[in-house]
Amino acid sequence: MKNYTLFFNHISLNNIPTVGGKNASLGEMINEMSSLGINVPNGFALKTNAYKEFLSINKLAPIIKDTLSALNVSNITELESAGSLIRKAILSSKIPLHIEMEIKQSYFKLSQQYGVNNVDVAVRSSSTAEDLPEASFAGQQESFLNINSAEKLILHIKKCYASLFTNRAISYREAMNFNHMEALISVGVQKMVRTDKSTSGVAFSIDTESGFKDVVLINACYGLGELLVQGTISPDEYLFFKPTKAIIEKKLGDKAKRMIYDGTKSEDPTKIVPVSKAKRDSFCLSDDQIKKIGNAVVKIETHYSKKLNRWTPVDVEWGYDGINNELYILQARPETIHSNKLNGAIVQYEIDKEEGVSPILEGVAVGDRIGIGKVIVINNLKDISSFKPGNVLVTEMTDPDWEPIMKMAAGIITNKGGRTCHAAIVSRELGIPAIVGTKNGSTALKGHKEVTISCAEGEIGFVYKGKCKFKKSIFNASDLPDIKTPLMLNVASPDLAFKFSFLPNEGVGLAREEFIINNYIKVHPLALLKHKSIGDSELTHQINKITKGYSSEKEFFITKLSHGISKIAAAFYGKEVIVRFSDFKSNEYRNLLGGKYFEPEEENPMIGWRGASRYYSDEFKEAFELECLAIKKVREEMGFTNVIVMIPFCRTIEDCEAVLSIMKEYGLERGKQGLQVYLMAEIPSNFILADQFAPYVDGFSIGSNDLTQLTLGLDRDSHLVSHLYDERNLAVKELIKLLIVKAKNHGVKVGICGQAPSDFPDFAQFLVELEIGSISVTPDSILKTVSAINKIEMRTLKKVS
């Protein structure tokens, strides 16, 4: 006697040929990971033999073969007609009675297990073609939620069978040269988790954009997770760092709608309702919940990596039950996009923006590529026949039915969606640049003929009018020559840190707080603390808008700054990351929101109130306290002890003593818990008095830009004297030589974080010959700097020999 159903607790990965990848994974987790605290709702699989018998008895195989044999999938009309014919044939057929009876018996057994008459279940397709090493077929078929009767279950099983022949599934199999008749389908019937009363989402045990493997990316929304996957809403986004179990980023999504159970008699078992403003403006997960999800995903990744004997990143669907508040894992599968592409090649795109070129639209960047093409705005699926290869697709949002034209696109732009929506997932897999969540892309780009899509500038994607020039560099890190001089990176944007971590490096020689404050905080720190007493209602309104989701303005600043720093520290974990305290000049601080109330107007801010002298001043020390507390959080709470702090623009020994004293007052003490303090050596006094500065610091980092202007007495921002500006001037080089010699005498490290070594090979030679401790350059200079240093070191070696 044949058995057509199998409960999850009798399934493992060995059962993929009969229950498909999705069901096999559920069984594997229930049997192997329950003891580790991984909760998976129970259920059963309808095996592939039921599908084969369904096709045979209803004589559907000849219909499918004949319909698809001469199909041209590039012809959208023809594809739609073929898919529709097959789906109608499947839905009008009957599941054999003996199979139907076994399905109902298993459903009643599952209902009894949960103590109800008709248990609410999710009905999901589970294909045997899912997650093959060469292709990911996941997400090609349908899922149905809150199915709560045996009769509805039978109907929705047929709908799962029919979804094997949606337009996108047919097109995808054709593209992957996969035989349609070999794509067998199982159906998973799983107890629903009441996420309609709580939260749900997806998580990846890898950064989906860069392939960085030490984080868990979590997307979350209120209610059932279908709206998140569809891209109908912008979810909250969180990053969990695996080695230290720290949350290193939180982004507030709009979450304007949620899907819940429909308690009425309507045919649709779910409905979509609005989310209150208070909930939209709050993170939908607590820190404890984020960490619980992160830890669960790490356990699942570890299990599959051991089981498959290779590192296996995973893609997980999760949900919190609103009745018992427990976390449940609803699905887990191997992540196939980045794990298939980790071949050692490093590809870099860099856009060449001509002067005056500014973006006309922005949104969430997917991938790191650049695309150029003619804009085609499509608002309805029936209009997709107008789309041609090489066009840029602009639409409200995509769903799987759009996939046949998505693979022809030079780029994709959507109004809605987040990093894990349908458009993002498919674009990533196809290697097409996409910008999602633009809000108004389909209207803003009307009338534009050609645009450039840039996803190469961080997490924000930009759309530029017309055709922009760009360059593409491809190299393999293993092909670069070995060098003795430690080469570090200058990293400004936390958004690009994961990507830069794949470059050859010895850590980060300079991470600027100014970039994080300017781009992520956007408000003057004193305006955050004191805006209510200023009496500017518009300023208060803007600050309230920016700080939504946080309990206070102080918490907002500390959290945002700590997350920006920790993201860079995570990317280079195990290596030194030198973080410079804020070095805004007064005119730059004035440009921040509310800055005009706290900043003087100086004639020459370049040599005015900046750096060390600010930190201990009565006017600014409240703001500096926030910086110290953020660093303390990064090192002591989040575990990034690889972070070193650096004091900029420190004019005198008294300056240095005062800053160290106030740092200690705010919880940062040099030497305590391994804290190192560096001095940005950029003022001639730092070099001349290096013997006196050395006892107060653990290292010097030479800032050649300010050193050059102060040594030569010129303003580097003035075009009138720019022809005199040259880091290779003998006076500048003599000061550098003096510092290196004196620092070595005191056993203090010296590095340089200016651009000169990468721009001028002779300057790099000068530094290498002085045996400088490290050279730190911008990531786009890494190739030429490595080559230049290698040539210098080889010449030096020949001279010695």
Side-chain angles (χ1 to χ4, degrees):
M1 178 181 173
K2 285 185 179 178
N3 290 319
Y4 298 95
T5 61
L6 199 59
F7 270 79
F8 291 158
N9 59 337
H10 296 294
I11 294 174
S12 71
L13 289 183
N14 297 326
N15 298 103
I16 288 177
T18 57
V19 301
K22 197 175 296 178
N23 288 333
S25 181
L26 290 169
E28 180 76 18
M29 288 189 291
I30 284 178
N31 287 304
E32 300 290 334
M33 303 193 69
S34 295
S35 61
L36 300 176
I38 302 298
N39 296 323
V40 178
N42 201 11
F44 61 91
L46 179 62
K47 298 192 294 185
T48 54
N49 61 352
Y51 171 69
K52 287 191 283 188
E53 200 162 321
F54 171 77
L55 293 185
S56 176
I57 288 177
N58 290 287
K59 297 181 172 53
L60 291 168
I63 296 173
I64 295 169
K65 287 180 182 177
D66 291 345
T67 305
L68 299 179
S69 59
L71 175 65
N72 175 12
V73 293
S74 298
N75 186 316
I76 303 299
T77 304
E78 197 177 318
L79 176 62
E80 171 64 44
S81 177
S84 178
L85 191 151
I86 295 171
R87 294 193 297 273
K88 284 178 182 176
I90 289 173
L91 291 172
S92 62
S93 300
K94 289 188 176 182
I95 292 177
L97 185 60
H98 59 289
I99 298 177
E100 182 177 322
M101 292 304 295
E102 186 174 335
I103 293 169
K104 288 181 176 180
Q105 286 172 3
S106 295
Y107 176 69
F108 293 143
K109 184 178 177 181
L110 184 65
S111 296
Q112 286 178 331
Q113 181 182 338
Y114 283 97
V116 294
N117 290 328
N118 290 292
V119 66
D120 50 336
V121 294
V123 183
R124 294 189 176 95
S125 311
S126 179
S127 172
T128 57
E130 288 182 312
D131 311 322
L132 296 176
E134 66 276 8
S136 168
F137 287 76
Q140 293 290 325
Q141 283 77 55
E142 301 287 354
S143 296
F144 304 96
L145 307 177
N146 189 24
I147 307 306
N148 53 15
S149 75
E151 287 70 28
K152 289 180 183 177
L153 176 57
I154 297 300
L155 170 63
H156 286 87
I157 284 171
K158 287 201 297 180
K159 287 185 177 181
C160 284
Y161 285 171
S163 75
L164 194 59
F165 296 96
T166 55
N167 300 349
R168 79 270 188 178
I170 295 169
S171 174
Y172 193 86
R173 287 194 295 272
E174 286 282 338
M176 304 308 297
N177 293 315
F178 197 90
N179 189 317
H180 294 287
M181 302 314 295
E182 290 180 8
L184 302 179
I185 194 166
S186 164
V187 177
V189 180
Q190 184 182 36
K191 168 69 176 79
M192 287 282 293
V193 172
R194 294 304 302 269
T195 61
D196 61 306
K197 295 178 177 291
S198 184
T199 54
S200 62
V202 295
F204 295 84
S205 67
I206 187 172
D207 178 56
T208 55
E209 304 313 313
S210 66
F212 183 69
K213 60 197 280 188
D214 282 342
V215 292
V216 176
L217 170 67
I218 302 167
N219 275 197
C221 67
Y222 296 113
L224 304 173
E226 202 70 9
L227 297 183
L228 188 157
V229 176
Q230 291 172 356
T232 307
I233 58 163
S234 299
D236 287 349
E237 188 174 300
Y238 311 97
L239 273 178
F240 172 85
F241 186 58
K242 297 174 189 176
T244 64
K245 302 185 184 302
I247 300 164
I248 62 171
E249 188 169 68
K250 293 168 70 172
K251 290 182 179 177
L252 191 67
D254 189 41
K255 312 177 296 292
K257 305 171 189 173
R258 65 184 175 124
M259 181 181 284
I260 61 171
Y261 282 15
D262 190 347
T264 69
K265 298 285 186 179
S266 72
E267 287 191 15
D268 192 342
T270 61
K271 63 180 179 180
I272 297 170
V273 297
V275 174
S276 69
K277 187 178 186 307
K279 283 200 164 189
R280 288 169 64 180
D281 291 348
S282 302
F283 289 107
C284 65
L285 293 177
S286 68
D287 285 2
D288 285 344
Q289 288 176 319
I290 296 166
K291 290 178 180 179
K292 196 166 186 178
I293 295 166
N295 285 320
V297 172
V298 170
K299 288 176 183 177
I300 295 168
E301 180 190 66
T302 301
H303 174 80
Y304 280 111
S305 297
K306 287 180 181 176
K307 188 90 175 183
L308 301 174
N309 201 29
R310 58 181 170 81
W311 173 59
T312 306
V314 290
D315 169 357
V316 173
E317 288 188 26
W318 56 268
Y320 270 97
D321 192 299
I323 296 174
N324 64 16
N325 296 317
E326 287 291 324
L327 171 66
Y328 290 88
I329 302 302
L330 311 178
Q331 289 187 49
R333 70 179 189 91
E335 191 277 348
T336 53
I337 298 168
H338 277 292
S339 51
N340 282 344
K341 293 180 181 176
L342 297 178
N343 54 12
I346 297 172
V347 183
Q348 288 183 312
Y349 291 82
E350 185 181 355
I351 196 158
D352 181 16
K353 289 182 287 187
E354 297 177 7
E355 192 174 343
V357 172
S358 58
I360 54 177
L361 186 70
E362 64 181 58
V364 177
V366 178
D368 59 1
R369 302 190 179 200
I370 293 171
I372 299 171
K374 179 183 176 184
V375 171
I376 301 293
V377 179
I378 299 179
N379 294 316
N380 196 300
L381 189 61
K382 65 181 176 60
D383 298 323
I384 63 174
S385 59
S386 64
F387 195 83
K388 300 292 185 288
N391 291 162
V392 171
L393 173 62
V394 183
T395 187
E396 182 77 2
M397 64 180 183
T398 67
D399 65 36
D401 289 327
W402 294 73
E403 288 177 26
I405 65 166
M406 292 173 74
K407 64 187 179 185
M408 300 189 293
I412 296 168
I413 299 168
T414 66
N415 295 345
K416 296 181 178 179
R419 211 172 296 284
T420 53
C421 72
H422 174 267
I425 291 170
V426 173
S427 299
R428 213 173 277 126
E429 183 169 340
L430 295 173
I432 296 169
I435 300 176
V436 300
T438 61
K439 296 182 180 178
N440 65 335
S442 59
T443 53
L445 296 179
K446 275 186 177 177
H448 288 278
K449 291 183 178 179
E450 190 174 43
V451 294
T452 299
I453 295 179
S454 173
C455 296
E457 301 172 63
E459 292 188 0
I460 299 176
F462 298 101
V463 181
Y464 298 95
K465 183 180 179 180
K467 188 174 184 178
C468 296
K469 294 177 183 178
F470 69 91
K471 65 179 181 179
K472 176 182 177 183
S473 306
I474 304 175
F475 68 97
N476 199 311
S478 61
D479 294 336
L480 292 175
D482 290 330
I483 57 174
K484 290 183 179 179
T485 305
L487 193 63
M488 303 178 84
L489 298 178
N490 298 338
V491 179
S493 171
D495 293 347
L496 294 170
F498 293 163
K499 176 184 172 184
F500 293 153
S501 71
F502 292 98
L503 298 171
N505 70 85
E506 295 297 325
V508 175
L510 176 63
R512 299 178 179 90
E513 281 190 7
E514 303 94 82
F515 186 94
I516 300 169
I517 295 169
N518 197 47
N519 289 274
Y520 299 94
I521 295 172
K522 301 179 181 179
V523 187
H524 193 290
L526 292 175
L528 277 173
L529 297 175
K530 301 180 179 184
H531 68 94
K532 291 175 183 174
S533 63
I534 293 173
D536 184 335
S537 59
E538 178 57 26
L539 174 63
T540 293
H541 171 72
Q542 290 184 64
I543 289 176
N544 288 341
K545 188 176 178 181
I546 289 171
T547 58
K548 65 184 179 182
Y550 295 87
S551 62
S552 68
E553 294 87 345
K554 184 175 182 179
E555 190 224 348
F556 166 76
F557 186 97
I558 293 169
T559 302
K560 280 288 190 181
L561 183 56
S562 65
H563 283 171
I565 293 168
S566 66
K567 200 170 178 184
I568 298 172
F572 300 89
Y573 190 66
K575 300 174 182 177
E576 292 185 347
V577 172
I578 302 170
V579 177
R580 187 176 72 186
F581 286 125
S582 64
D583 190 25
F584 281 119
K585 295 173 276 295
S586 56
N587 61 324
E588 294 167 336
Y589 257 129
R590 281 182 69 85
N591 290 332
L592 291 174
L593 190 60
K596 64 182 180 181
Y597 293 109
F598 301 97
E599 294 297 326
E601 292 196 38
E602 296 184 281
E603 286 293 326
N604 193 343
M606 185 72 79
I607 54 173
W609 193 36
R610 59 178 286 201
S613 60
R614 275 184 173 265
Y615 306 152
Y616 58 88
S617 68
D618 290 338
E619 295 87 353
F620 192 80
K621 63 182 180 181
E622 283 181 88
F624 184 62
E625 179 185 10
L626 302 182
E627 295 184 40
C628 291
L629 293 176
I631 293 287
K632 184 177 173 68
K633 181 182 178 78
V634 167
R635 286 180 48 86
E636 297 177 17
E637 292 181 33
M638 303 169 82
F640 294 106
T641 53
N642 58 323
V643 167
I644 294 168
V645 294
M646 182 155 66
I647 304 169
F649 225 76
C650 186
R651 295 171 169 94
T652 66
I653 303 299
E654 292 74 22
D655 253 0
C656 189
E657 290 176 329
V659 173
L660 290 172
S661 175
I662 200 162
M663 281 173 57
K664 183 177 179 180
E665 181 182 334
Y666 294 144
L668 288 181
E669 183 177 356
R670 180 186 171 215
K672 189 175 180 180
Q673 298 187 1
L675 176 65
Q676 292 186 60
V677 178
Y678 277 33
L679 188 74
M680 189 85 174
E682 53 195 334
I683 303 171
S685 61
N686 303 147
F687 297 77
I688 297 166
L689 301 179
D691 284 323
Q692 295 181 46
F693 278 107
Y696 291 96
V697 296
D698 301 283
F700 293 98
S701 183
I702 299 167
S704 57
N705 290 340
D706 272 328
L707 174 63
T708 302
Q709 75 166 342
L710 293 172
T711 301
L712 300 180
L714 55 83
D715 183 348
R716 70 172 192 256
D717 286 347
S718 172
H719 69 281
L720 298 173
V721 290
S722 60
H723 62 286
L724 295 170
Y725 183 90
D726 188 349
E727 294 101 321
R728 296 169 296 175
N729 182 277
L730 184 60
V732 176
K733 291 170 75 173
E734 284 296 316
L735 285 173
I736 291 173
K737 183 177 180 180
L738 181 66
L739 176 70
I740 292 173
V741 170
K742 288 187 174 184
K744 281 183 179 179
N745 290 338
H746 286 270
V748 175
K749 292 175 278 189
V750 180
I752 188 168
C753 56
Q755 188 65 17
S758 53
D759 287 344
F760 308 115
D762 57 331
F763 193 79
Q765 180 176 356
F766 162 71
L767 295 170
V768 170
E769 288 174 348
L770 287 175
E771 297 182 347
I772 195 165
S774 65
I775 295 176
S776 189
V777 298
T778 54
D780 61 341
S781 305
I782 200 86
L783 287 174
K784 64 179 180 180
T785 307
V786 168
S787 299
I789 292 174
N790 174 254
K791 288 177 183 177
I792 295 159
E793 289 181 345
M794 294 300 290
R795 284 201 301 266
T796 304
L797 191 64
K798 284 180 182 178
K799 285 181 183 177
V800 173
S801 60

